[in-house]
Amino acid sequence: MATITIRGLTKVYPGGVRALDGLDLDVADGEFFALLGPSGCGKTTLLRTVAGLETASGGTVCLGGADVTRLPPGRRGVGMVFQDYALFPHMTVLDNIAYPLRIKKRSRADRHRSAREAVGQLGLEGLEERRPGELSGGQQQRVALARALVADPRMFLLDEPLSNLDARLRLEARTFLKRLQQRLGVTTVFVTHDQAEALALADRIAVMDAGRVRQLGTPAEVFRRPANLFVASFIGSTPMNLLPGIVRDGSVAAAGAEPPVPDEARGLVSDGEPVVCGIRPEYLDYNEEPVDGAFAGTVSVVEHLGGSSLVTLDVEGEPVRVVVGEGFDAAPGAAGWALPRPGRLLLYRDGELVTPARDTPLIKNGRPH
Ligand SMILES: Nc1ncnc2c1ncn2[C@@H]1O[C@H](COP(=O)(O)OP(=O)(O)OP(=O)(O)O)[C@@H](O)[C@H]1O
Ligand SMILES: [Mg+2]
């Protein structure tokens, strides 16, 4: 079983940067797992520590149930693709792919047989004798993947493998990667700082910040119910609307409206408590007429997204964004009302989602909370 179990993992670089801060994480066998977070949050450090290229300052890494924290990289059975691919410029494609087998001292004929198999799996036929400088970005990425694949690893660690590609190629490469992982069924940890990529590809996502996991869940859980304001503002191509409010008589007074306290938060907040209402632009319905419980404002900006529009309403000085379907024709200056869909409003207190304790899909630092 190619599981990954990480407990209390800490990495302090010489000079004192604490890149990982007591991090816990479990990746299941065969899972396509995304690590998502802003630049500098410790994603590369985590992958390199799992691969054995960095030594942990504290905590443990278990692969397939065995503690590998002190094992050298060559004995961990992981294939890694680096952020910059790290291909050898003077070697041919075939020799680059076969390189891990040279380290393992396999015969030349054997190395080339395995490398040709990987060439076939990644659709690189005809490019075997070229050098990396003579390839497109997408082809280089596939060479790096083939090199990770050739040693038959029990897991893949991919560090932003798509970041060097342009937008269209990136989309193609991402579908290709998803299909490859489904076909091979190899446990894969995939690093990205692109939240759309993580939502599209992953079985589960860990959102990281400052060396810790801030939320662990399926793409749907992380999108619909961010566990804290950090995740709420990080996830989503248009950020969640976050409106400060005060609890009053079973409602929340926020930006001139008084939506009811969400069911899950009922009994967990008291009158007079300051909270933040979170609602995604996708979960607000736009109305041209006044509606009970809606945020009332004035249209300030209309951005066309293709099939829909992103409308920014000025609500008592706060911008409230609403995704509106085709046919929207109100001009800036028009009055508009934004009504939260039932069950979609979230309540945050002290930066954390207000939710019953028995609700376990939300996991903090790898542990139910
Ligand atoms: N070799 C090193 N020596 C000292 N500090 C380092 C080293 N490598 C990384 N760091 C620091 O550790 C922190 C985490 O870095 P890391 O490369 O893991 O981030 P990341 O999440 O991969 O970021 P990015 O999205 O930019 O690739 C950063 O503050 C970084 O400056
Ligand atoms: Mg990185």
Side-chain angles (χ1 to χ4, degrees):
M1 293 282 277
T3 53
I4 304 176
T5 314
I6 294 169
R7 291 292 174 270
L9 194 63
T10 298
K11 173 69 188 178
V12 183
Y13 282 111
V17 176
R18 185 173 281 267
L20 300 176
D21 188 16
L23 181 137
D24 296 337
L25 197 64
D26 289 280
V27 179
D29 186 41
E31 194 167 25
F32 200 159
F33 193 93
L35 284 178
L36 178 64
S39 185
C41 73
K43 305 180 296 293
T44 296
T45 304
L46 177 56
L47 278 204
R48 290 179 57 86
T49 312
V50 171
L53 301 168
E54 297 289 350
T55 335
S57 314
T60 54
V61 176
C62 293
L63 302 181
D67 190 336
V68 301
T69 320
R70 303 279 155 230
L71 275 192
R75 292 180 51 202
R76 296 193 183 195
V78 307
M80 182 151 172
V81 172
F82 298 92
Q83 210 160 353
D84 58 358
Y85 307 151
L87 299 174
F88 297 111
H90 60 285
M91 284 189 195
T92 64
V93 163
L94 201 65
D95 284 335
N96 260 291
I97 296 174
Y99 186 76
L101 302 176
R102 196 156 116 189
I103 303 287
K104 293 194 168 201
K105 306 215 180 334
R106 299 254 294 269
S107 75
R108 187 178 160 81
D110 190 23
R111 290 195 316 253
H112 278 188
R113 192 173 339 104
S114 301
R116 282 187 199 288
E117 236 174 77
V119 160
Q121 277 182 311
L122 285 135
L124 290 164
E125 295 93 342
L127 304 175
E128 293 90 335
E129 297 311 316
R130 290 209 202 160
R131 289 174 212 287
E134 301 163 334
L135 300 176
S136 72
Q139 290 164 337
Q140 287 184 34
Q141 183 241 0
R142 279 184 280 151
V143 173
L145 278 170
R147 184 178 58 184
L149 192 78
V150 78
D152 203 14
R154 52 182 173 164
M155 54 191 68
F156 275 142
L157 305 177
L158 311 178
D159 194 357
E160 307 231 17
L162 311 181
S163 60
N164 294 333
L165 309 180
D166 67 40
R168 200 182 57 85
L169 248 185
R170 205 177 161 121
L171 214 64
E172 264 171 38
R174 141 180 145 183
T175 311
F176 178 85
L177 201 61
K178 178 87 181 167
R179 216 179 287 132
L180 183 74
Q181 200 273 340
Q182 276 169 352
R183 182 151 50 91
L184 301 175
V186 179
T187 308
T188 301
V189 181
F190 173 94
V191 163
T192 178
H193 59 246
D194 178 341
Q195 46 88 25
E197 206 162 271
L199 292 174
L201 282 175
D203 296 321
R204 282 191 309 153
I205 297 175
V207 184
M208 285 180 69
D209 178 37
R212 306 183 69 101
V213 173
R214 299 300 306 273
Q215 187 171 5
L216 190 82
T218 63
E221 281 161 5
V222 170
F223 183 81
R224 287 192 197 138
R225 309 189 66 237
N228 47 63
L229 290 179
F230 173 79
V231 177
S233 42
F234 191 74
I235 297 276
S237 44
T238 45
M240 186 184 274
N241 294 300
L242 296 170
L243 304 164
I246 300 272
V247 178
R248 204 158 60 201
D249 295 335
S251 299
V252 190
E258 294 218 351
V261 168
D263 286 349
E264 63 170 357
R266 229 168 261 276
L268 298 175
V269 288
S270 15
D271 266 10
E273 251 185 332
V275 289
V276 171
C277 287
I279 179 98
R280 287 210 179 278
E282 294 87 347
Y283 298 152
L284 282 170
D285 282 323
Y286 182 85
N287 287 274
E288 289 178 354
E289 307 290 334
V291 198
D292 258 5
F295 297 102
T298 313
V299 175
S300 61
V301 185
V302 181
E303 296 164 67
H304 298 287
L305 307 176
S308 55
S309 300
L310 181 65
V311 178
T312 305
L313 287 177
D314 180 347
V315 178
E316 301 206 335
E318 297 269 357
V320 172
R321 293 189 179 81
V322 190
V323 172
V324 186
E326 250 169 292
F328 179 83
D329 58 3
W337 286 262
L339 183 67
R341 297 214 183 127
R344 293 303 192 181
L345 190 80
L346 302 170
L347 221 54
Y348 293 89
R349 178 179 49 199
D350 300 329
E352 302 286 329
L353 183 65
V354 181
T355 185
R358 62 183 154 69
D359 195 4
T360 52
L362 294 176
I363 294 181
K364 233 171 117 185
N365 256 348
R367 296 194 192 95
H369 89 119

